[in-house]
């Protein structure tokens, strides 16, 4: 460019909106290529755009210098840039919104940001810009989709809205300005979004809304993994409730998600339920009030699926679900029996992650995956049947040292090793469990040991585990069970 004194200077024409862009544009002018691993998201975005342009030129023109010159000639002679000057930033933002309503539009997150700027006083622009950047950086930094968060926030915060797709979010905000209140207080609205995003991101890693470890959220997170997200609607709605109610909501949500998984229901269905229940949950005041709501929502739906669950669980094949979910199932069953015997006094038994730890506990196939001739002779017909090998009745958790010693050995040998396990459910495969307290012994009496291992034993153990599963995931009503405290259907004390 040429300045007012006629001196020619070479400088960047673009000025970044955010300070964390640093001197990335100035460096580009100097020929310094940005790094895709730059310190800030703004700088990484610029780097991504730069390399996208370079990739385009390389793929389209390669060594074709004349073609590249023709492209440049067309660009500077045929493409026009129109500058529009307005008398206020609000007017400029309105024009921006109008222009982006044509062609390939911006997503709802960008348009919502622009809408908030339109509603904000000029003196608060910097505050809004900084608050919005903090919000966006949280979501992008965690690798989470901002539009999914925005959609779930709406479901969790406002009365039932019906079907709402991501490309409809911006129009929804336009139509519901009075209800949302962003027009009167855009800064306060962004703060509420940011607070919800904090809780949302904590939930994703198994923590409570305050960022502290939380056994109920952890357990739900281990079930959901990265495959299920709809439960976040309910957790967002419940995030400000008293701790005992929040824990109860988490337990109910986990139970229903698991029942849906076993009965192979469509995930979209419980998204509809969660959306419909969210606003009621957010308004709950007492645990008794919540328990009444639970009976006509979560418990009712579990009851409707109970018969199918009872039929499907014994037929569960470890190959039909993801590995982390199979580990979750075995961990929950194993934890349940330990809690029955030892109660919740031991922190080691309270946390499901202890059981799901793949380095500490391995998945043991009682009938080995690759049976030896000795195993086949002892097991009898079906030793090579993979449906038996992967049946839930043939699977257990075993401490790594014990599992390694078991190998592909026959049951006659394994039955002498299982009683050494600290995990009661695993110990009970071949040994009668007796802890020494009458109430506990009654609770563990259902764990019948096996003296031999064959196809019938696999099926019998699958039925036994199904009976336990009905209690673990609260398919069996019990006055002693209180969602959220993970108490058992019998007194573990």
């Amino acid at each position: 460019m040429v300045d007012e004194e006629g001196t020619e200077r070479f400088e960047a024409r673009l000025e970044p909106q955010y300070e964390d862009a640093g001197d990335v544009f100035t460096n580009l002018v100097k020929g310094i290529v940005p790094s895709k691993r730059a310190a800030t998201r703004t700088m990484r975005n610029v780097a991504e755009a730069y390399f996208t342009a370079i990739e385009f030129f390389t793929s389209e023109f390669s060594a074709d210098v004349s073609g590249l010159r023709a492209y440049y000639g067309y660009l500077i002679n045929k493409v026009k840039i129109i500058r529009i000057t307005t008398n206020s930033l609000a007017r400029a933002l309105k024009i921006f919104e109008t222009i982006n309503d044509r062609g390939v539009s911006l997503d709802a997150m960008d348009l919502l940001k622009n809408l908030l700027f339109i509603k904000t006083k000029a003196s608060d622009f910097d505050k809004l810009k900084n608050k919005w950047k903090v919000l966006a950086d949280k979501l992008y930094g965690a690798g989470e989709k901002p539009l999914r968060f925005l959609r779930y926030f709406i479901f969790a915060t406002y009365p039932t809205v019906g079907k709402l797709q991501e490309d409809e979010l911006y129009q929804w905000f336009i139509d519901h300005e009075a209800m949302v209140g962003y027009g009167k207080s855009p800064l306060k609205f962004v703060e509420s979004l940011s607070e919800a995003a904090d809780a949302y991101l904590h939930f994703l890693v198994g923590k409570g809304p305050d960022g502290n470890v939380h056994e109920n959220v952890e357990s739900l997170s281990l079930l959901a993994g990265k495959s299920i997200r709809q439960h976040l609607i309910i957790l967002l709605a419940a995030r400000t409730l008293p701790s005992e109610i929040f824990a109860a909501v988490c337990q109910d949500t986990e139970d229903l998600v698991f029942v849906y998984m076993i009965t192979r229901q469509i995930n979209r269905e419980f998204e509809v339920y969660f959306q419909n229940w969210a606003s009621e949950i957010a308004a709950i005041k007492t645990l008794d009030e919540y328990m009444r709501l639970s009976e006509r929502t979560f418990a009712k739906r579990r009851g409707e699926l109970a018969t199918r669950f009872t039929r499907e669980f014994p037929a569960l094949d470890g190959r039909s679900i993801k590995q982390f979910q199979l580990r979750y199932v075995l961990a929950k069953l194993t934890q349940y029996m330990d809690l029955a015997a030892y109660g919740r006094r031991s922190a080691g038994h309270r946390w499901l992650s202890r059981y799901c730890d793949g380095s500490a506990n391995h998945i043991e196939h009682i009938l080995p995956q690759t049976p030896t001739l000795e195993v086949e002779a002892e097991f009898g017909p079906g030793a090579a049947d993979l449906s038996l090998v992967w049946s839930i009745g043939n699977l257990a958790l075993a401490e790594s040292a014990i599992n390694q010693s078991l190998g592909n050995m026959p049951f006659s040998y394994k039955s002498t090793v299982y009683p050494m396990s600290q995990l009661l459910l695993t110990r009970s495969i071949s040994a009668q469990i007796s802890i020494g307290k009458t109430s506990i012994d009654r609770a563990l009496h259902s764990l019948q040991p096996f003296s031999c291992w064959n196809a019938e034993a696999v099926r019998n153990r699958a039925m036994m585990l199904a009976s336990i599963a009905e209690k673990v995931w609260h398919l069996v009503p019990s006055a002693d069970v209180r969602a959220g405290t993970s108490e058992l259907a019998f007194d573990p004390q």
Side-chain angles (χ1 to χ4, degrees):
M1 65 170 291
V2 178
D3 63 20
E4 295 176 353
E5 297 179 354
T7 302
E8 186 174 346
R9 289 189 289 108
F10 196 59
E11 65 180 34
R13 290 181 177 272
L14 293 176
E15 293 184 6
Q17 181 182 10
Y18 297 113
E19 293 179 0
D20 67 355
D23 52 3
V24 62
F25 290 121
T26 301
N27 285 340
L28 274 175
V29 170
K30 294 177 180 178
I32 302 174
V33 179
S35 170
K36 288 184 177 181
R37 298 181 179 178
T40 68
R41 188 168 66 89
T42 301
M43 296 174 73
R44 290 193 295 271
N45 287 344
V46 173
E48 189 66 35
Y50 172 84
F51 286 111
T52 298
I54 293 300
E55 182 181 348
F56 167 77
F57 289 128
T58 301
S59 64
E60 293 297 322
F61 302 106
S62 186
D64 183 8
V65 177
S66 61
L68 184 58
R69 286 182 178 276
Y71 175 83
Y72 175 74
Y74 180 88
L75 188 66
I76 63 172
N77 287 286
K78 298 294 185 179
V79 177
K80 303 299 181 184
I81 297 177
I82 301 173
R83 174 182 294 178
I84 301 174
T85 303
T86 64
N87 57 6
S88 70
L89 182 55
R91 178 63 178 160
L93 291 168
K94 188 63 179 176
I95 291 174
F96 169 83
E97 178 186 32
T98 303
I99 291 173
N100 279 286
D101 193 37
R102 294 163 173 79
V104 180
S105 63
L106 299 177
D107 67 31
M109 201 73 175
D110 293 317
L111 292 172
L112 178 59
K113 171 188 172 183
N114 180 70
L115 178 62
L116 294 175
F117 269 105
I118 293 175
K119 302 293 183 179
T120 301
K121 296 183 296 184
S123 60
D124 287 334
F125 281 158
D126 284 343
K127 290 181 183 179
L128 179 63
K129 180 183 74 174
N130 293 332
K131 289 180 182 295
W132 188 268
K133 184 178 184 305
V134 169
L135 168 64
D137 285 350
K138 287 176 188 176
L139 295 169
Y140 285 114
E144 185 61 15
K145 296 178 180 178
L147 292 186
R148 178 162 54 199
F149 160 71
L150 201 58
R151 182 167 174 263
Y152 286 179
F153 173 80
I154 291 174
F155 290 160
T157 310
Y158 306 105
T160 304
V161 297
K163 289 183 63 177
L164 182 63
Q165 303 303 319
E166 289 184 354
D167 59 0
E168 300 170 332
L169 294 175
Y170 178 63
Q171 188 59 49
W172 186 90
F173 278 108
I174 292 291
D175 295 340
H176 296 84
E177 177 181 346
M179 180 172 66
V180 177
Y182 64 81
K184 291 183 178 179
S185 185
L187 287 174
K188 185 176 180 181
F189 172 68
V190 175
E191 288 170 358
S192 69
L193 274 181
S194 189
E195 173 272 324
D198 285 335
Y200 181 91
L201 297 177
H202 292 324
F203 297 149
L204 286 176
V205 294
K207 295 182 179 180
D210 57 2
N212 293 323
V213 290
H214 194 291
E215 59 189 280
N216 299 95
V217 183
E218 178 195 76
S219 186
L220 179 50
S221 177
L222 289 169
L223 165 61
K226 295 182 179 179
S227 304
I228 302 172
R229 285 287 190 272
Q230 292 91 339
H231 64 285
L232 296 170
I233 299 170
I234 291 294
L235 268 58
L236 277 175
R239 69 185 184 278
T240 61
L241 297 180
S243 59
E244 62 177 0
I245 303 177
F246 177 77
V249 173
C250 290
Q251 182 68 71
D252 267 340
T253 304
E254 178 186 354
D255 291 344
L256 188 57
V257 170
F258 182 73
V259 170
Y260 262 64
M261 185 184 83
I262 295 300
T263 57
R264 290 175 286 186
Q265 302 297 300
I266 300 173
N267 286 0
R268 289 193 301 273
E269 183 179 310
F270 62 65
E271 176 176 301
V272 173
Y273 281 116
F274 290 170
Q275 177 187 338
N276 290 338
W277 301 340
S279 59
E280 285 189 84
I281 289 172
I284 290 293
K285 302 298 181 185
T286 67
L287 182 59
D288 286 341
E289 185 182 352
Y290 174 71
M291 296 308 292
R292 290 193 294 272
L293 182 149
S294 174
E295 283 300 314
R296 60 181 175 82
T297 54
F298 291 100
K300 180 176 182 292
R301 187 60 184 136
R302 284 200 307 272
E304 292 167 349
L305 296 170
T307 301
R308 183 167 179 175
F309 182 92
T310 301
R311 181 177 68 249
E312 296 286 350
F313 191 90
L316 181 61
D317 186 309
R319 298 168 298 175
S320 67
I321 59 177
K322 295 180 173 62
Q323 183 76 3
F324 75 87
Q325 291 174 327
L326 175 61
R327 186 173 291 278
Y328 162 86
V329 174
L330 295 172
K332 287 286 286 190
L333 292 169
T334 305
Q335 180 194 44
Y336 180 86
M337 298 314 304
D338 284 353
L339 287 173
Y342 307 119
R344 304 175 62 78
R345 290 181 293 273
S346 170
H349 297 130
R350 287 176 55 199
W351 300 97
L352 190 65
S353 55
R354 171 182 178 269
Y355 294 87
C356 285
D357 183 353
S359 61
N361 300 311
H362 295 179
I363 294 178
E364 154 70 1
H365 292 73
I366 304 172
L367 167 64
Q369 296 183 71
T370 53
T372 63
L373 292 176
E374 186 179 4
V375 169
E376 290 179 352
E378 189 173 291
F379 186 87
D385 186 344
L386 289 179
S387 67
L388 290 174
V389 171
W390 283 99
S391 166
I392 189 64
N394 190 57
L395 303 177
L397 288 184
E399 297 92 331
S400 57
I402 289 178
N403 184 254
Q404 290 168 11
S405 71
L406 294 171
N408 293 335
M409 301 297 288
F411 185 77
S412 57
Y413 171 78
K414 289 186 174 186
S415 63
T416 66
V417 179
Y418 290 140
M420 301 177 187
S421 174
Q422 296 299 309
L423 308 173
L424 293 182
L425 188 59
T426 303
R427 195 190 307 176
S428 72
I429 294 172
S430 58
Q432 182 69 54
I433 303 299
S434 178
I435 303 299
K437 292 184 179 181
T438 305
S439 62
I440 295 176
D441 283 345
R442 278 201 305 269
L444 301 178
H445 183 69
S446 61
L447 298 179
Q448 295 298 322
F450 295 85
S451 57
C452 65
W453 199 248
N454 50 34
E456 183 181 4
V458 173
R459 289 189 284 269
N460 287 341
R461 186 168 182 269
M463 294 300 296
M464 180 187 76
L465 294 181
S467 179
I468 297 172
E470 291 175 347
K471 301 180 180 69
V472 175
W473 288 281
H474 304 110
L475 274 295
V476 177
S478 171
D480 295 326
V481 175
R482 285 296 178 267
T485 61
S486 296
E487 295 296 339
L488 308 173
F490 39 79
D491 184 1
Q493 303 303 323

